[in-house]
Amino acid sequence: MKIFKIMILGFLAGSFSAKAQNYTNVPNGLQLSTKDMLVKIQFYGPEVVRIVKYPLGKTFNKESLSVIQTPVKTSFSTAQNGNQLTLKTKQLTVAVSLTSGKVSFSAPNNTQLLAEKEQGASFTPFDDAGNKTFTVRQTFVLDKDEAIYGLGQQQHGKMVQRNLSLNMVQGNTDDYVPFFQSIKGYGLFWDNYSPTQFKDNQEGTFFSSDVGDGIDYYFMYGKNADGVIAKMRELTGQVPMFPLWTYGFFQSKERYKSQDELVGVVEKYRDLNVPLDGIIQDWQYWGNNYLWNAMEFLNVEFPDPKRMVNEIHQLNAHALISIWSSFGPKTKQYHDLDSINALFNFNTWPQSGSEKWPPNRDYPSGVRVYDAYNPKARDIYWNYLDKGLRSVGIDGWWMDSTEPDHLDFKPSDLDNQTFLGSFRKVRNAYPLMTVGGVYKHQRELDNAKRVFILTRSAFAGQQRYGANTWSGDVTASWAALRNQISAGLNFSLTGIPYWNSDIGGFFLNNFKRKLDDPEYRELYVRWLQFGTFCPMMRSHGADAPREIYQFGKKGDRAYDAIEKYINLRYTLLPYIYSTSWDVTANQSSMMRALMMDFPADKNVLDINDEYMFGKSILVSPVTSAMYTQVSGSGANTVKKEDFSELKAKETYLPAGTAWFDFWTGEKLEGGAKTSKETPLDMLPLYVKAGSIMPLGPRVQYATEKKWDSLEIRIYPGANGNFVLYEDENDNYNYEKGAYSTISFSWDDLKHTLTVHDRKGFFKGMLDSRKFNIVLVSGADTSGTGTKKEIQINYTGKKKSVKF
């Protein structure tokens, strides 16, 4: 068979044709026609390619809401062999059938990564509120045992996202991102915002979206999970830094009913010497439901909000406040938004003007969701937020119901017109638009204070908007706690690194005695231990308050365990903040599924109850009751605490490295399970050999003490590196280079730690400091880890320490 080869610079325009074929150059790619559709292949870089398909005779013009990267000039070659056309960069090969339009992707060594199914593209005519368009679908063929991850956050407890069917419409506890990545080192982003079906079974794997003028997806080859995430962020946006204080502990509840109560919680934590950095005010500070989300303190129990915030600041804490995506009919925002036709007509929360439960439908609230797709509506939203809440000193935004709440759903609700077309067409991108509106407006006004947003929903690209997503109003149970782990890990694997859950679960429907239920107290402690190792540590919920003093006093098991882990969180701040810099600067992730760091160990691919926090600490949350004795059933159920027998949890330690028990220093071999006794205050934690871990001082809030005397723990057994990152803690000067890094490297053969020259400078930077270097040397004959310590003075110049 005769083969035609032509070298092409992808950024050149032009056209050519081969005998009996029809394909032309487009910028950075090629376009071809089959008998019934047009296929466009466009490189965004050597490892990333966009595939667009649409019916012949139609047009496809789309400006992505998620993708912000412009195509990078990319050199590629083409070759034709019969009816197959191959486009090849240095990192990726794309083959397309000139007859069927089927596309496949291969690595540089010609190993096939992914292929579309033959005749796998379909376009079904669809009337979208008067707009003649299509329901679009593309089916792919995965290897039989290929593990894939991502797709956002679901509550089903699955780590590997195979053999399932998802109806991808944003909800309270499910955040959908139509992106998955494979253990084979590639990722696929389906760039569509309408209600979408994802399905994987023995017949294939497909995305099918209700509305689309064409099929539009991006394939990226990153070689490993971190590489795929890096490519996804290059496409959809990089991650800004959060302030240091946001990595401290947050207390919240549904809801503090006065400003005195809110400030009093902070005062109580300070009196108890328990660390706290954030206090959060939930809804109804605005008054009744007709004033829903007025963004003003109209409730008489909040008479002087500026004084309230000042008192919180004087206690060295920060205030977040609840804001919503909807407005009551008596608010100023409602009037202004209605005047530009920027309010939707479907039922949302709250359903009644009365605050009593259940809702009295005879008095509907009249609350309506605003059109966040409309730039003028986003301006109105911000202007009231700025004037009503930012002006009194609020430090961050708790954006609730960003999916948004859609009650009593009717298909015709999706006919509501937005600034960008029907609500159906752009439904799933709502959180991206409303969160992005707040971030962009605040950045335009203020570079002295970093944006911090807590949001209930997310979509592809939201990592660029300074937002931390929480898992919604989950109901407290042991199953729910376990499901949070895989939910957070798969969410992170879509490229959005900041995630958390309501510590203790939001609703306590399963625990009629609330905090008097010993099983719930045990669950809360275990959830808080898990929360210690999430990007945000936040206690929140309805039905019962969750402040530490609600669980007893010092000397009580639950209280002491809670205090222990809040203090541990603060000890780890240098490690956590440096990890956050790795996320921003190097496209890393904070919560890391085990497959990210140990892809060669097949035992870890589907583990859903362990993960890495940063690249050093393996976290193994306890997700079952151990110390609650249950007798009877139904209304006669009796629960009692029973600590007479010490229980244990089994943890798999990935192969390819040794591990150290964080608590004892005991050295363990990887590739096997280990059992750890787990009294109520014990969470199994293991540190990877070769890790270098900075530990900070005991503090009451994140910035109380400078890091002038840090403990630097070395876990030997492999070479290791760590970069300690520092900056001014809460502004954007780091974007201009105002930060410093100190690199540590461990030579395991020479048993030598090198502290390299400090790089960079920022205002207030320490000129000199002490490092207490601790070598964790494994278990001695008693089974307890031993340590060797050397203290050095460091003035920014290279120093080496030999053990």
Side-chain angles (χ1 to χ4, degrees):
M1 175 88 50
K2 188 174 181 180
I3 299 176
F4 300 90
K5 288 189 176 180
I6 304 173
M7 290 298 298
I8 302 174
L9 287 177
F11 56 88
L12 295 176
S15 67
F16 66 89
S17 62
K19 186 177 180 180
Q21 304 301 344
N22 179 22
Y23 51 92
T24 60
N25 286 3
V26 296
N28 264 24
L30 297 174
Q31 182 172 287
L32 61 95
S33 299
T34 68
K35 64 179 180 180
D36 54 6
M37 71 177 172
L38 191 144
V39 181
K40 182 177 179 181
I41 301 169
Q42 184 179 33
F43 288 104
Y44 272 57
E47 305 91 357
V48 181
V49 62
R50 182 187 185 190
I51 307 297
V52 173
K53 300 181 180 183
Y54 56 94
L56 287 178
K58 301 296 182 179
T59 59
F60 184 87
N61 297 305
K62 171 182 164 185
E63 183 175 345
S64 179
L65 300 179
S66 294
V67 175
I68 60 174
Q69 182 187 13
T70 55
V72 177
K73 295 178 181 180
T74 305
S75 296
F76 63 92
S77 65
T78 64
Q80 184 181 346
N81 187 345
N83 289 325
Q84 180 166 288
L85 185 66
T86 300
L87 295 78
K88 190 172 185 178
T89 72
K90 291 181 179 180
Q91 301 296 330
L92 185 63
T93 298
V94 182
V96 58
S97 168
L98 294 168
T99 54
S100 69
K102 172 190 170 183
V103 181
S104 62
F105 309 90
S106 300
N109 63 1
N110 294 323
T111 300
Q112 183 166 288
L113 298 169
L114 178 68
E116 296 178 350
K117 188 174 183 178
E118 193 72 46
Q119 307 298 331
S122 68
F123 310 88
T124 305
F126 183 78
D127 187 323
D128 179 28
N131 178 45
K132 303 299 182 182
T133 184
F134 301 96
T135 293
V136 293
R137 171 171 165 169
Q138 179 66 62
T139 303
F140 303 90
V141 179
L142 275 63
D143 293 347
K144 181 180 178 182
D145 297 321
E146 182 179 349
I148 64 171
Y149 307 89
L151 299 174
Q153 167 201 283
Q154 293 88 49
Q155 302 292 334
H156 52 45
K158 287 173 64 71
M159 193 63 232
V160 172
Q161 303 292 285
R162 295 297 303 270
N163 302 308
L164 69 129
S165 179
L166 299 175
N167 181 31
M168 304 181 83
V169 181
Q170 307 293 19
N172 183 318
T173 59
D174 295 296
D175 298 329
Y176 292 105
V177 181
F179 168 91
F180 69 80
Q181 63 164 289
S182 166
I183 194 65
K184 295 169 71 174
Y186 71 81
L188 189 145
F189 171 46
W190 179 261
D191 193 14
N192 189 290
Y193 326 118
S194 69
T196 295
Q197 293 286 328
F198 172 84
K199 193 167 187 177
D200 174 75
N201 57 30
Q202 60 185 5
E203 297 179 359
T205 305
F206 70 77
F207 286 103
S208 176
S209 294
D210 286 0
V211 176
D213 292 335
I215 291 165
D216 187 2
Y217 71 87
Y218 295 78
F219 181 92
M220 59 206 77
Y221 182 49
K223 302 182 179 66
N224 54 46
D226 281 306
V228 172
I229 287 171
K231 296 305 170 189
M232 185 60 174
R233 292 192 194 151
E234 288 172 11
L235 272 178
T236 62
Q238 299 296 344
V239 182
M241 290 285 288
F242 287 146
L244 175 61
W245 61 265
T246 64
Y247 296 104
F249 178 65
F250 285 76
Q251 186 61 64
S252 179
K253 78 169 184 179
E254 194 284 299
R255 60 184 169 88
Y256 297 117
K257 295 185 177 180
S258 72
Q259 70 180 62
D260 289 340
E261 183 185 10
L262 187 75
V263 175
V265 172
V266 184
E267 291 174 334
K268 184 70 171 177
Y269 270 85
R270 293 289 179 253
D271 290 343
L272 293 170
N273 293 316
V274 176
L276 179 76
D277 262 278
I279 188 75
I280 308 179
Q281 177 58 49
D282 206 342
W283 59 4
Q284 292 182 331
Y285 59 88
W286 50 70
N288 65 59
N289 290 347
Y290 299 115
L291 295 170
W292 187 265
N293 198 32
M295 297 175 176
E296 292 184 69
F297 289 90
L298 303 176
N299 186 323
V300 294
E301 298 299 330
F302 295 84
D304 192 345
K306 194 169 186 64
R307 177 172 64 84
M308 176 187 75
V309 175
N310 286 341
E311 289 174 347
I312 292 169
H313 289 167
Q314 288 163 9
L315 290 164
N316 297 297
H318 298 79
L320 269 66
I321 199 161
S322 171
I323 54 176
W324 288 61
S325 301
S326 52
F327 295 96
K330 299 301 182 181
T331 61
K332 300 171 186 176
Q333 295 94 324
Y334 185 105
H335 177 270
D336 290 355
L337 291 163
D338 197 32
S339 71
I340 62 168
N341 197 30
L343 292 170
F344 297 148
N345 287 309
F346 57 74
N347 286 336
T348 191
W349 178 265
Q351 295 171 291
S352 171
S354 170
E355 298 176 22
K356 292 183 178 180
W357 187 261
N360 187 339
R361 300 296 186 92
D362 292 336
Y363 298 91
S365 69
V367 173
R368 294 167 68 186
V369 172
Y370 91 106
D371 181 3
Y373 307 94
N374 186 327
K376 290 184 178 179
R378 295 194 298 269
D379 289 345
I380 291 170
Y381 191 97
W382 171 258
N383 289 339
Y384 280 103
L385 179 60
D386 182 41
K387 182 171 63 175
L389 296 177
R390 183 171 170 269
S391 64
V392 301
I394 298 294
D395 300 291
W397 315 114
W398 180 14
M399 298 187 69
D400 209 337
S401 187
T402 47
E403 60 276 352
D405 272 314
H406 188 168
L407 307 178
D408 305 324
F409 173 79
K410 301 185 295 295
S412 60
D413 291 344
L414 297 176
D415 292 340
N416 271 267
Q417 290 300 300
T418 78
F419 185 79
L420 297 178
S422 76
F423 188 41
R424 180 182 296 103
K425 179 181 179 181
V426 290
R427 170 70 185 89
N428 283 338
Y430 189 91
L432 179 71
M433 304 306 293
T434 188
V435 170
V438 171
Y439 176 85
K440 289 178 179 178
H441 278 99
Q442 186 169 334
R443 282 302 309 263
E444 288 172 358
L445 289 181
D446 186 5
N447 273 325
K449 192 175 188 66
R450 295 178 196 169
V451 180
F452 182 68
I453 295 169
L454 177 62
T455 174
R456 197 169 77 184
S457 193
F459 192 72
Q462 203 154 308
Q463 72 278 354
R464 65 184 185 250
Y465 290 143
N468 193 318
T469 304
W470 96 93
S471 61
D473 299 340
V474 297
T475 297
S477 70
W478 290 102
L481 169 56
R482 186 184 181 99
N483 291 347
Q484 298 315 296
I485 302 170
S486 57
L489 294 175
N490 276 297
F491 184 81
S492 297
L493 284 163
T494 67
I496 310 176
Y498 290 115
W499 176 95
N500 71 110
S501 64
D502 289 344
I503 289 176
F506 184 73
F507 293 114
L508 301 188
N509 300 345
N510 297 321
F511 300 95
K512 302 304 181 185
R513 295 173 58 201
K514 313 306 181 190
L515 300 191
D516 290 332
D517 188 318
E519 185 180 8
Y520 180 72
R521 293 196 297 272
E522 183 179 357
L523 173 64
Y524 180 84
V525 170
R526 296 306 192 185
W527 207 314
L528 183 126
Q529 291 169 353
F530 165 63
T532 304
F533 294 92
C534 289
M536 184 181 186
M537 186 183 186
R538 181 183 60 95
S539 170
H540 176 69
D543 303 326
R546 315 291 174 84
E547 298 83 14
I548 185 173
Y549 45 86
Q550 309 291 349
F551 293 86
K553 61 185 183 305
K554 204 168 185 66
D556 294 336
R557 279 191 178 91
Y559 182 101
D560 288 352
I562 294 167
E563 183 182 34
K564 174 180 176 178
Y565 283 86
I566 294 175
N567 277 308
L568 177 59
R569 175 75 173 197
Y570 282 82
T571 299
L572 291 170
L573 281 181
Y575 173 81
I576 293 171
Y577 199 54
S578 297
T579 298
S580 77
W581 170 247
D582 196 28
V583 170
T584 293
N586 302 311
Q587 295 81 47
S588 189
S589 299
M590 192 166 284
M591 290 182 72
R592 303 174 61 82
L594 295 184
M595 51 73 61
M596 298 184 72
D597 296 294
F598 311 99
D601 186 348
K602 292 185 178 180
N603 293 317
V604 310
L605 300 187
D606 203 24
I607 289 180
N608 67 349
D609 65 342
E610 304 172 26
Y611 63 99
M612 298 295 291
F613 185 62
K615 294 176 181 176
S616 296
I617 305 174
L618 189 152
V619 185
S620 182
V622 176
T623 58
S624 60
M626 293 182 172
Y627 302 109
T628 304
Q629 185 183 75
V630 182
S631 60
S633 62
N636 297 318
T637 300
V638 177
K639 298 179 183 179
K640 294 181 179 180
E641 291 180 339
D642 182 4
F643 293 94
S644 60
E645 181 183 350
L646 194 57
K647 302 297 179 68
K649 186 191 177 184
E650 200 172 60
T651 299
Y652 178 77
L653 301 178
T657 183
W659 296 89
F660 292 81
D661 185 310
F662 175 83
W663 303 105
T664 68
E666 179 186 2
K667 189 175 181 180
L668 303 159
E669 291 305 314
K673 291 183 178 180
T674 187
S675 183
K676 175 76 175 177
E677 289 185 341
T678 48
L680 189 60
D681 70 342
M682 182 56 65
L683 166 68
L685 299 172
Y686 302 92
V687 183
K688 186 173 66 172
S691 295
I692 302 170
M693 187 181 304
L695 302 179
R698 188 172 182 124
V699 293
Q700 292 300 295
Y701 53 94
T703 58
E704 181 185 10
K705 297 177 183 177
K706 291 184 177 293
W707 295 347
D708 56 356
S709 182
L710 297 182
E711 178 179 318
I712 308 296
R713 285 192 191 174
I714 305 164
Y715 294 85
N719 293 335
N721 296 281
F722 187 83
V723 177
L724 178 67
Y725 173 84
E726 296 169 289
D727 63 16
E728 296 172 22
N729 297 329
D730 193 3
N731 58 45
Y732 288 99
N733 290 341
Y734 74 89
E735 293 181 340
K736 304 173 185 177
Y739 63 88
S740 76
T741 57
I742 301 172
S743 295
F744 298 79
S745 60
W746 170 251
D747 187 317
D748 198 59
L749 182 63
K750 296 180 180 178
H751 251 46
T752 299
L753 177 75
T754 300
V755 187
H756 296 274
D757 289 345
R758 181 179 56 220
K759 296 181 179 179
F761 173 83
F762 62 92
K763 185 179 178 180
M765 184 178 74
L766 292 167
D767 293 324
S768 62
R769 68 209 307 169
K770 293 179 180 179
F771 290 133
N772 187 38
I773 315 297
V774 176
L775 179 65
V776 181
S777 53
D780 60 19
T781 55
S782 68
T784 303
T786 59
K787 297 189 294 185
K788 299 177 182 178
E789 302 184 23
I790 300 176
Q791 189 174 92
I792 65 170
N793 294 315
Y794 179 76
T795 59
K797 298 300 180 182
K798 181 177 177 180
K799 276 198 172 185
S800 292
V801 178
K802 184 175 178 61
F803 285 88

